[in-house]
Amino acid sequence: MVKNGYKLLALLTIVNLTLTSCASNKLDLYSQSAAISGKGGTYKVGSPYQIAGKWYYPEEDYDYVETGTASWYGKDFHAKYTANGEIYDMNTLTAAHRTLPLPSIVRVTNLENGRSLVLRVNDRGPFAKNRIIDVSKRASQLLGFQTQGTAKVKVEIMEKESKALKAALTGAKGNTYASNYKSNQVVSIPQKPVSIYTPQKQVSQTDGKLYIQVGSFSKQSMAENLKRQLMDYGHIKIVPVDVSGNRFYRVRVGPYAAQNEANTVLSKIKNAGLVDATLVNE
Protein backbone atom coordinates (compact mmCIF):
# COMPACT_ATOMS: atom_id res chain seq x y z
CA MET A 1 0.00 0.00 0.00
CA VAL A 2 2.83 2.43 0.86
CA LYS A 3 4.61 1.64 -2.38
CA ASN A 4 1.49 2.15 -4.48
CA GLY A 5 0.67 5.34 -2.58
CA TYR A 6 4.15 6.68 -3.34
CA LYS A 7 3.68 5.93 -7.04
CA LEU A 8 0.35 7.75 -7.17
CA LEU A 9 1.73 10.79 -5.37
CA ALA A 10 4.77 10.83 -7.61
CA LEU A 11 2.46 10.62 -10.58
CA LEU A 12 0.71 13.78 -9.42
CA THR A 13 4.05 15.55 -9.53
CA ILE A 14 5.04 14.38 -13.00
CA VAL A 15 1.67 15.26 -14.49
CA ASN A 16 1.82 18.68 -12.88
CA LEU A 17 5.37 19.38 -14.06
CA THR A 18 4.72 18.06 -17.57
CA LEU A 19 1.53 19.98 -18.21
CA THR A 20 2.33 23.30 -16.59
CA SER A 21 5.19 23.74 -19.04
CA CYS A 22 2.81 23.88 -22.01
CA ALA A 23 -0.60 24.93 -20.66
CA SER A 24 -1.86 28.43 -21.37
CA ASN A 25 -5.44 28.29 -20.10
CA LYS A 26 -6.02 28.94 -16.38
CA LEU A 27 -8.80 26.36 -16.29
CA ASP A 28 -6.41 23.83 -17.78
CA LEU A 29 -3.79 24.64 -15.17
CA TYR A 30 -6.35 24.14 -12.43
CA SER A 31 -7.42 20.73 -13.67
CA GLN A 32 -4.09 19.06 -14.41
CA SER A 33 -3.44 17.55 -11.00
CA ALA A 34 -6.99 17.45 -9.69
CA ALA A 35 -8.07 15.06 -12.44
CA ILE A 36 -5.60 12.37 -11.38
CA SER A 37 -6.64 11.80 -7.79
CA GLY A 38 -9.27 9.03 -7.84
CA LYS A 39 -9.74 6.75 -4.85
CA GLY A 40 -10.99 3.20 -4.49
CA GLY A 41 -11.03 2.23 -8.15
CA THR A 42 -9.12 -0.34 -10.17
CA TYR A 43 -7.63 -0.35 -13.63
CA LYS A 44 -9.70 -2.15 -16.27
CA VAL A 45 -10.30 -2.16 -19.99
CA GLY A 46 -13.34 -4.44 -20.09
CA SER A 47 -14.94 -6.85 -22.53
CA PRO A 48 -17.12 -5.91 -25.52
CA TYR A 49 -20.65 -5.03 -24.42
CA GLN A 50 -23.98 -4.20 -25.98
CA ILE A 51 -26.29 -1.32 -25.11
CA ALA A 52 -29.62 -0.78 -26.89
CA GLY A 53 -28.57 -3.12 -29.68
CA LYS A 54 -25.19 -1.43 -30.32
CA TRP A 55 -21.85 -3.09 -29.53
CA TYR A 56 -18.94 -1.25 -27.91
CA TYR A 57 -15.35 -2.52 -27.85
CA PRO A 58 -13.16 -1.14 -25.04
CA GLU A 59 -9.45 -0.99 -25.83
CA GLU A 60 -6.18 0.70 -24.95
CA ASP A 61 -6.10 3.27 -27.75
CA TYR A 62 -3.38 5.80 -27.00
CA ASP A 63 -3.84 7.52 -30.36
CA TYR A 64 -7.47 8.37 -29.60
CA VAL A 65 -8.68 11.79 -30.78
CA GLU A 66 -12.33 12.50 -31.50
CA THR A 67 -14.53 15.52 -32.15
CA GLY A 68 -18.21 15.42 -31.29
CA THR A 69 -20.86 16.33 -28.72
CA ALA A 70 -20.23 16.30 -24.97
CA SER A 71 -22.91 16.16 -22.28
CA TRP A 72 -22.75 16.08 -18.47
CA TYR A 73 -24.21 14.02 -15.64
CA GLY A 74 -24.87 15.03 -12.06
CA LYS A 75 -26.96 14.32 -8.99
CA ASP A 76 -28.77 11.21 -10.29
CA PHE A 77 -25.40 9.42 -10.23
CA HIS A 78 -23.68 11.31 -7.42
CA ALA A 79 -22.06 9.06 -4.76
CA LYS A 80 -22.80 5.91 -6.75
CA TYR A 81 -20.19 3.51 -8.10
CA THR A 82 -18.44 4.22 -11.37
CA ALA A 83 -17.65 1.43 -13.83
CA ASN A 84 -14.18 0.91 -12.33
CA GLY A 85 -15.32 0.93 -8.70
CA GLU A 86 -14.70 4.54 -7.71
CA ILE A 87 -17.38 6.68 -6.07
CA TYR A 88 -18.71 9.28 -8.48
CA ASP A 89 -18.50 12.84 -7.21
CA MET A 90 -20.14 15.32 -9.56
CA ASN A 91 -17.98 18.10 -8.08
CA THR A 92 -14.66 16.60 -9.19
CA LEU A 93 -13.04 16.52 -12.62
CA THR A 94 -14.01 13.18 -14.14
CA ALA A 95 -15.75 11.82 -17.21
CA ALA A 96 -17.44 8.80 -18.75
CA HIS A 97 -16.35 7.30 -22.06
CA ARG A 98 -17.64 4.28 -23.96
CA THR A 99 -14.36 2.52 -24.80
CA LEU A 100 -11.24 4.13 -23.25
CA PRO A 101 -9.42 2.31 -20.41
CA LEU A 102 -10.61 3.05 -16.89
CA PRO A 103 -9.07 5.19 -15.58
CA SER A 104 -7.32 7.18 -18.29
CA ILE A 105 -6.49 10.85 -18.67
CA VAL A 106 -7.99 12.98 -21.45
CA ARG A 107 -7.92 16.60 -22.48
CA VAL A 108 -11.36 17.96 -23.37
CA THR A 109 -11.53 21.22 -25.31
CA ASN A 110 -14.77 23.11 -25.78
CA LEU A 111 -14.57 24.15 -29.42
CA GLU A 112 -17.29 26.74 -28.91
CA ASN A 113 -15.34 28.88 -26.41
CA GLY A 114 -11.77 27.52 -26.40
CA ARG A 115 -11.79 26.34 -22.78
CA SER A 116 -9.79 23.20 -22.01
CA LEU A 117 -9.73 20.75 -19.08
CA VAL A 118 -7.81 17.62 -18.16
CA LEU A 119 -10.20 14.93 -16.88
CA ARG A 120 -9.93 11.40 -15.50
CA VAL A 121 -12.15 8.91 -17.31
CA ASN A 122 -13.49 6.48 -14.69
CA ASP A 123 -16.95 5.53 -15.98
CA ARG A 124 -18.78 4.14 -19.02
CA GLY A 125 -21.15 6.19 -21.19
CA PRO A 126 -22.77 8.13 -22.77
CA PHE A 127 -25.08 5.92 -24.82
CA ALA A 128 -27.55 8.44 -26.25
CA LYS A 129 -27.71 10.71 -29.30
CA ASN A 130 -24.20 9.83 -30.55
CA ARG A 131 -22.50 11.81 -27.79
CA ILE A 132 -18.83 10.98 -27.33
CA ILE A 133 -18.20 11.88 -23.68
CA ASP A 134 -20.12 12.62 -20.46
CA VAL A 135 -18.31 14.97 -18.08
CA SER A 136 -18.99 15.69 -14.42
CA LYS A 137 -21.15 18.62 -13.39
CA ARG A 138 -18.08 20.56 -12.22
CA ALA A 139 -16.28 19.92 -15.50
CA SER A 140 -19.30 21.18 -17.47
CA GLN A 141 -19.27 24.38 -15.40
CA LEU A 142 -15.58 25.02 -16.02
CA LEU A 143 -15.91 24.16 -19.70
CA GLY A 144 -18.80 26.61 -19.92
CA PHE A 145 -21.69 24.45 -21.11
CA GLN A 146 -23.59 23.37 -17.99
CA THR A 147 -26.56 25.64 -18.70
CA GLN A 148 -26.94 24.69 -22.36
CA GLY A 149 -26.38 21.00 -21.56
CA THR A 150 -24.11 20.02 -24.45
CA ALA A 151 -21.20 21.39 -26.43
CA LYS A 152 -19.05 20.50 -29.41
CA VAL A 153 -15.72 19.29 -28.05
CA LYS A 154 -12.44 17.69 -28.98
CA VAL A 155 -11.35 14.77 -26.79
CA GLU A 156 -7.71 13.63 -26.79
CA ILE A 157 -6.21 10.87 -24.68
CA MET A 158 -3.01 11.88 -22.90
CA GLU A 159 -0.76 8.90 -23.57
CA LYS A 160 2.11 9.42 -21.12
CA GLU A 161 -0.14 10.36 -18.22
CA SER A 162 -2.59 7.53 -18.92
CA LYS A 163 0.18 4.93 -19.12
CA ALA A 164 1.77 6.23 -15.93
CA LEU A 165 -1.56 6.07 -14.12
CA LYS A 166 -2.08 2.51 -15.31
CA ALA A 167 1.38 1.51 -14.07
CA ALA A 168 0.78 3.12 -10.68
CA LEU A 169 -2.53 1.29 -10.22
CA THR A 170 -1.40 -2.11 -11.49
CA GLY A 171 2.14 -2.13 -10.09
CA ALA A 172 3.52 -2.64 -13.60
CA LYS A 173 7.27 -2.32 -14.11
CA GLY A 174 8.84 0.37 -16.22
CA ASN A 175 6.89 3.27 -14.71
CA THR A 176 9.60 5.84 -15.48
CA TYR A 177 7.25 8.77 -14.93
CA ALA A 178 6.51 7.80 -11.34
CA SER A 179 9.82 6.24 -10.30
CA ASN A 180 12.23 8.98 -11.43
CA TYR A 181 11.02 11.51 -8.84
CA LYS A 182 12.04 11.71 -5.20
CA SER A 183 9.59 12.14 -2.35
CA ASN A 184 10.61 15.75 -1.69
CA GLN A 185 9.13 16.67 -5.08
CA VAL A 186 5.67 15.32 -4.27
CA VAL A 187 2.74 17.72 -4.48
CA SER A 188 -0.13 17.12 -2.06
CA ILE A 189 -3.57 17.51 -3.64
CA PRO A 190 -6.40 18.21 -1.15
CA GLN A 191 -9.34 15.82 -1.49
CA LYS A 192 -12.96 16.94 -1.32
CA PRO A 193 -14.87 14.54 0.96
CA VAL A 194 -17.57 12.48 -0.74
CA SER A 195 -20.80 11.59 0.99
CA ILE A 196 -21.30 7.88 0.35
CA TYR A 197 -24.68 6.32 0.56
CA THR A 198 -26.47 3.25 -0.76
CA PRO A 199 -29.56 4.11 -2.81
CA GLN A 200 -32.58 2.32 -1.40
CA LYS A 201 -34.89 1.18 -4.14
CA GLN A 202 -38.19 0.07 -2.67
CA VAL A 203 -39.09 -3.55 -3.37
CA SER A 204 -41.98 -5.35 -1.79
CA GLN A 205 -40.67 -7.94 0.63
CA THR A 206 -41.76 -11.53 0.13
CA ASP A 207 -40.49 -14.93 1.19
CA GLY A 208 -38.89 -15.33 -2.25
CA LYS A 209 -35.35 -14.65 -3.40
CA LEU A 210 -34.14 -11.20 -4.42
CA TYR A 211 -32.55 -10.80 -7.86
CA ILE A 212 -31.42 -8.02 -10.17
CA GLN A 213 -33.10 -8.38 -13.56
CA VAL A 214 -30.88 -6.76 -16.16
CA GLY A 215 -32.68 -7.65 -19.38
CA SER A 216 -35.30 -9.78 -21.12
CA PHE A 217 -34.87 -11.04 -24.69
CA SER A 218 -36.84 -12.98 -27.24
CA LYS A 219 -33.60 -14.56 -28.51
CA GLN A 220 -31.58 -16.80 -26.20
CA SER A 221 -28.32 -15.81 -27.94
CA MET A 222 -28.82 -12.18 -26.87
CA ALA A 223 -29.42 -13.27 -23.28
CA GLU A 224 -26.22 -15.35 -23.39
CA ASN A 225 -24.27 -12.33 -24.67
CA LEU A 226 -25.49 -10.19 -21.78
CA LYS A 227 -24.72 -12.98 -19.31
CA ARG A 228 -21.08 -13.01 -20.45
CA GLN A 229 -20.87 -9.24 -19.95
CA LEU A 230 -22.18 -9.50 -16.38
CA MET A 231 -19.87 -12.21 -15.05
CA ASP A 232 -17.93 -9.72 -12.91
CA TYR A 233 -21.08 -8.84 -10.96
CA GLY A 234 -21.78 -12.24 -9.40
CA HIS A 235 -23.82 -15.34 -10.19
CA ILE A 236 -25.81 -14.89 -13.42
CA LYS A 237 -28.73 -17.01 -14.54
CA ILE A 238 -31.04 -17.01 -17.55
CA VAL A 239 -34.70 -17.65 -16.77
CA PRO A 240 -36.91 -18.74 -19.71
CA VAL A 241 -40.55 -17.65 -19.34
CA ASP A 242 -43.62 -17.80 -21.57
CA VAL A 243 -45.69 -14.64 -21.89
CA SER A 244 -48.85 -14.72 -24.03
CA GLY A 245 -47.50 -17.68 -25.92
CA ASN A 246 -44.09 -16.11 -26.56
CA ARG A 247 -40.81 -17.31 -25.02
CA PHE A 248 -38.56 -14.75 -23.34
CA TYR A 249 -35.16 -15.15 -21.67
CA ARG A 250 -34.64 -13.04 -18.55
CA VAL A 251 -31.10 -12.31 -17.40
CA ARG A 252 -30.77 -12.06 -13.63
CA VAL A 253 -27.96 -11.51 -11.11
CA GLY A 254 -28.24 -13.06 -7.65
CA PRO A 255 -29.85 -14.19 -5.48
CA TYR A 256 -29.24 -11.83 -2.56
CA ALA A 257 -30.20 -12.37 1.05
CA ALA A 258 -30.11 -8.66 1.94
CA GLN A 259 -31.63 -5.78 0.01
CA ASN A 260 -28.75 -3.39 0.76
CA GLU A 261 -26.32 -5.84 -0.87
CA ALA A 262 -28.55 -6.08 -3.93
CA ASN A 263 -28.84 -2.28 -4.12
CA THR A 264 -25.06 -1.91 -4.11
CA VAL A 265 -24.66 -4.25 -7.09
CA LEU A 266 -27.65 -2.64 -8.82
CA SER A 267 -25.93 0.74 -8.62
CA LYS A 268 -22.78 -0.67 -10.23
CA ILE A 269 -24.76 -2.24 -13.06
CA LYS A 270 -26.74 0.95 -13.73
CA ASN A 271 -23.57 3.05 -13.71
CA ALA A 272 -22.09 0.69 -16.29
CA GLY A 273 -24.86 1.83 -18.63
CA LEU A 274 -27.54 -0.83 -18.04
CA VAL A 275 -30.02 1.70 -16.73
CA ASP A 276 -33.11 -0.55 -17.06
CA ALA A 277 -31.85 -3.04 -14.46
CA THR A 278 -34.28 -3.51 -11.58
CA LEU A 279 -34.80 -5.53 -8.40
CA VAL A 280 -37.28 -8.43 -8.51
CA ASN A 281 -38.50 -11.05 -6.07
CA GLU A 282 -38.80 -14.63 -7.22
Side-chain angles (χ1 to χ4, degrees):
M1 291 295 293
V2 174
K3 183 177 180 180
N4 287 338
Y6 171 79
K7 287 184 177 180
L8 284 170
L9 288 172
L11 176 59
L12 292 176
T13 303
I14 183 62
V15 172
N16 187 61
L17 293 175
T18 300
L19 296 179
T20 51
S21 64
C22 60
S24 58
N25 189 302
K26 290 184 178 180
L27 292 174
D28 198 34
L29 288 170
Y30 164 75
S31 70
Q32 297 161 16
S33 298
I36 309 300
S37 53
K39 287 187 175 181
T42 59
Y43 180 84
K44 64 182 293 185
V45 177
S47 302
Y49 63 98
Q50 187 182 41
I51 301 292
K54 183 175 181 179
W55 281 95
Y56 299 92
Y57 301 89
E59 62 176 337
E60 291 184 336
D61 180 5
Y62 294 113
D63 294 319
Y64 171 83
V65 179
E66 187 175 8
T67 298
T69 301
S71 51
W72 65 273
Y73 64 131
K75 64 180 182 180
D76 289 345
F77 297 90
H78 183 70
K80 297 180 181 179
Y81 285 102
T82 67
N84 77 324
E86 295 181 25
I87 299 296
Y88 174 61
D89 182 351
M90 65 183 181
N91 299 307
T92 56
L93 300 178
T94 59
H97 192 274
R98 295 164 297 181
T99 58
L100 288 177
L102 305 177
S104 54
I105 306 301
V106 297
R107 184 189 302 280
V108 179
T109 303
N110 186 341
L111 299 177
E112 298 171 7
N113 60 20
R115 294 187 180 186
S116 177
L117 279 177
V118 174
L119 305 177
R120 186 180 73 261
V121 176
N122 65 353
D123 210 354
R124 286 288 179 234
F127 302 107
K129 301 180 181 179
N130 296 317
R131 294 169 183 172
I132 64 171
I133 195 167
D134 249 351
V135 304
S136 65
K137 177 182 177 181
R138 182 56 177 158
S140 72
Q141 292 171 338
L142 294 175
L143 286 168
F145 72 86
Q146 183 201 5
T147 301
Q148 67 193 55
T150 62
K152 185 177 182 180
V153 299
K154 181 179 181 181
V155 182
E156 307 167 85
I157 193 168
M158 303 179 71
E159 179 180 1
K160 293 179 180 179
E161 292 73 20
S162 295
K163 286 182 176 179
L165 183 55
K166 173 188 175 181
L169 290 173
T170 62
K173 295 180 179 181
N175 182 12
T176 56
Y177 296 98
S179 61
N180 287 345
Y181 284 81
K182 296 181 180 180
S183 58
N184 60 2
Q185 295 173 296
V186 170
V187 177
S188 176
I189 305 298
Q191 297 296 310
K192 180 180 179 64
V194 180
S195 176
I196 301 175
Y197 67 93
T198 301
Q200 296 297 315
K201 183 171 180 122
Q202 296 301 316
V203 175
S204 58
Q205 297 300 312
T206 72
D207 293 332
K209 295 178 180 179
L210 189 61
Y211 289 87
I212 299 170
Q213 182 162 306
V214 186
S216 181
F217 304 92
S218 58
K219 293 183 179 180
Q220 186 173 0
S221 60
M222 296 180 68
E224 294 288 351
N225 283 336
L226 180 58
K227 179 180 178 180
R228 286 192 289 270
Q229 297 172 44
L230 293 169
M231 296 307 294
D232 290 342
Y233 294 99
H235 177 70
I236 318 297
K237 74 173 185 175
I238 296 176
V239 182
V241 295
D242 291 316
V243 180
S244 301
N246 297 311
R247 174 60 61 95
F248 292 90
Y249 300 90
R250 295 172 176 172
V251 182
R252 293 180 173 177
V253 185
Y256 299 95
Q259 185 170 330
N260 60 348
E261 180 186 4
N263 275 322
T264 298
V265 180
L266 177 64
S267 294
K268 293 181 180 180
I269 292 174
K270 282 181 173 289
N271 289 343
L274 298 167
V275 296
D276 293 329
T278 187
L279 296 183
V280 295
N281 276 300
E282 183 178 286

